Amino acid sequence: MKAMTKQQLADHAGVSVKTLSKWCRPYQDELRTMGFRPHMKALPPNIVAYLSEKLCIDLVP
């Protein structure tokens, strides 16, 4: 897994960044313990992997 921006992850999911942020709300506590901050633009690989698994986002182009 590689680091990506919120925009790139949202594009893979086919939604806007705002919608992606709303989808992340139920996982807020877990993400915070992983180092996620609400205003981060670049997401580290561990958070990208976690979100892609929880939100069923296919990262293969």
Side-chain angles (χ1 to χ4, degrees):
M1 198 63 50
K2 63 179 183 169
M4 359 178 104
T5 64
K6 285 183 185 177
Q7 183 64 57
Q8 289 171 323
L9 190 58
D11 288 344
H12 280 285
V15 297
S16 68
V17 175
K18 186 175 180 177
T19 300
L20 179 69
S21 295
K22 287 180 182 181
W23 287 359
C24 292
R25 285 184 190 158
Y27 308 107
Q28 194 172 24
D29 293 335
E30 294 91 346
L31 290 168
R32 199 172 301 133
T33 61
M34 297 171 74
F36 178 81
R37 299 292 173 251
H39 298 289
M40 291 176 80
K41 292 188 186 214
L43 303 174
N46 63 329
I47 293 176
V48 172
Y50 178 80
L51 289 175
S52 66
E53 179 183 328
K54 290 292 184 180
L55 302 175
C56 299
I57 299 172
D58 186 19
L59 298 178
V60 180

